[in-house]
Amino acid sequence: MTTSGPNNPDGAFTGGQVTFGLDTFGDITVDRAGEPVPASQVIRDVVEQGTLADRVGVDHFSVGEHHRDDFAVSAPDVVLAAIGARTTRITLGSAVTVLSSDDPVRVYERFATLDAISDGRAEITVGRGSFIESFPLFGFDLDDYEVLFEEKLDLLTHLRTEQPLHWSGTTRAPLTGQRAHPTTVRGRIPVWVGVGGSPESVMRAARHGLPLMLAIIGGAPVRFRPFVDLFHRATGDADLPVGIHSPGFVADTDDEALDLLFPHFKANRDRIGRERGWPPVTRAEYEREAADGALFVGSPETVARRIADAVTALGVQRFDLKYANGTMPHEQLLHAVDLYGTQVVPRVRELLTGRGTAVD
């Protein structure tokens, strides 16, 4: 693979301050009678949830990409554009864009369009994805899993210059002076690399000089500290932010949050488990993850303290809560968004300030 032009790795800096986001995959939900909600309504509900997140002061709202019947969103940038037209301050990004089965040029152009609609609030988080449905759907070979992501990430990184580009690789035709359109007012779009916690993935983000988003979905968050340290050693740039993304749910009390989430969390996890050979999740395992693992579930005070502890232990600059987990009704998700923005985030900022951590 050959490239020309600078890498220009800057973009998603937080100035050392901690910011807070919400993520959703647009899970198919159920109504009050327990019946599945059509995907079209789920998408409209996600737009409402993102709009509320802006009103209650959340910093970031991110939407995942899937191509299967238990998730409604296959085109996050379109959903984000609808949110962008109704909001004024929140950043809007993907969680994640499955870059291996997409075209980096089209990805950049779509998010540049979102950036225009939202007046400069678009960002992209790219990853290889934990689901493989997009590969056969778009005609890609899983045997090319590694090289597809490596080359396409390299191309996307160079596209961020928004200049005519000369690039060649093995996965697509070369570029010989073309550029992506539209260009942005900022001159580039922030790009994060989402990883599941392997040293190789961390080093890939470091090589490209891009911010790191760690998906912590099991076990104690503190066990990811070596990856944060590895990233900073590899980049030599203390200002390049690291974020964490973890599942959770907020309700008025701890017991209510645990009881409301569990059946939906179990149904979602067990379906994926059947596909991947995992045993069914038990209530005891669930409660252990909620007590000191990767599941941030409880009252606003409980969730705030757990977030503050994780941010402090890992030394990260961003925390994103994946607030939608399985088939939870829209009304419960709206209440969780409201509590997160009005109670959890202010309380985390208060706790971090008391510990001497910079918050915005």
Side-chain angles (χ1 to χ4, degrees):
M1 169 171 40
T2 60
T3 59
S4 68
N7 204 12
N8 289 316
D10 59 341
F13 298 107
T14 62
Q17 296 185 335
V18 182
T19 59
F20 303 92
L22 287 168
D23 298 347
T24 178
F25 294 167
D27 307 53
I28 294 294
T29 57
V30 295
D31 60 21
R32 293 176 180 175
E35 294 299 317
V37 173
S40 56
Q41 183 59 53
V42 172
I43 290 172
R44 291 190 291 272
D45 290 343
V46 169
V47 172
E48 184 179 357
Q49 292 157 21
T51 304
L52 175 60
D54 179 72
R55 292 201 305 271
V56 297
V58 178
D59 298 310
H60 316 285
F61 191 80
S62 303
V63 179
E65 172 195 345
H66 293 85
H67 303 271
R68 42 188 287 143
D69 63 4
D70 46 348
F71 300 106
V73 180
S74 59
D77 47 289
V78 179
V79 179
L80 293 166
I83 300 170
R86 303 180 188 190
T87 56
T88 59
R89 49 166 301 279
I90 198 166
T91 70
L92 302 165
S94 53
V96 298
T97 295
V98 185
L99 191 61
S100 302
S101 56
D102 213 327
D103 177 358
V105 178
R106 291 295 293 141
V107 168
Y108 199 85
E109 290 186 334
R110 295 197 306 263
F111 279 85
T113 303
L114 169 63
D115 201 63
I117 291 169
S118 63
D119 194 19
R121 292 183 282 126
E123 62 180 20
I124 310 169
T125 299
V126 297
R128 293 183 296 178
S130 61
F131 294 88
I132 61 173
E133 287 82 4
S134 63
F135 283 81
L137 182 63
F138 298 117
F140 291 97
D141 191 334
L142 273 172
D143 289 339
D144 298 328
Y145 187 80
E146 292 290 341
V147 68
L148 282 167
F149 187 71
E150 183 61 54
E151 287 199 2
K152 291 186 178 189
L153 179 59
D154 182 76
L155 176 53
L156 180 65
T157 304
H158 285 79
L159 286 163
R160 293 180 62 237
T161 67
E162 300 191 355
Q163 298 299 315
L165 183 62
H166 293 267
W167 184 95
S168 65
T170 63
T171 57
R172 58 153 293 152
L175 294 175
T176 56
Q178 295 92 343
R179 65 192 299 181
H181 296 281
T183 57
T184 64
V185 173
R186 288 182 289 177
R188 73 196 66 236
I189 297 174
V191 174
W192 296 68
V193 179
V195 306
S198 72
E200 296 79 13
S201 296
V202 172
M203 290 301 296
R204 179 185 290 114
R207 284 198 307 274
H208 290 286
L210 296 171
L212 179 70
M213 180 62 72
L214 287 166
I216 301 179
I217 60 174
V222 70
R223 70 188 180 93
F224 282 76
R225 182 64 196 235
F227 297 116
V228 177
D229 294 339
L230 173 65
F231 179 73
H232 287 312
R233 287 197 306 271
T235 63
D237 186 350
D239 290 328
L240 197 60
V242 176
I244 56 176
H245 150 111
S246 287
F249 179 69
V250 191
D252 293 316
T253 68
D254 289 344
D255 287 344
E256 182 183 25
L258 287 164
D259 290 343
L260 286 176
L261 176 60
F262 179 67
H264 306 286
F265 180 86
K266 178 176 172 58
N268 174 262
R269 183 64 62 89
D270 287 355
R271 170 176 172 164
I272 296 170
R274 287 192 295 272
E275 298 170 357
R276 302 183 182 185
W278 304 341
V281 66
T282 67
R283 178 71 185 226
E285 292 168 334
Y286 166 76
E287 292 191 1
R288 283 197 298 271
E289 281 294 309
D292 55 17
L295 192 58
F296 291 73
V297 56
S299 67
E301 179 67 19
T302 295
V303 174
R305 287 189 175 276
R306 292 219 52 228
I307 293 172
D309 289 345
V311 168
T312 302
L314 295 176
V316 296
Q317 292 74 47
R318 175 169 169 175
F319 180 91
D320 284 4
L321 181 74
K322 181 179 174 290
Y323 69 95
N325 302 277
T327 54
M328 295 197 79
H330 172 54
E331 293 77 13
Q332 293 175 7
L333 296 176
L334 279 178
H335 189 50
V337 169
D338 181 65
L339 290 174
Y340 184 77
T342 61
Q343 297 188 37
V344 174
V345 171
R347 180 60 175 146
V348 178
R349 289 178 171 141
E350 182 180 65
L351 291 166
L352 292 178
T353 300
R355 300 175 189 183
T357 302
V359 290
D360 66 351

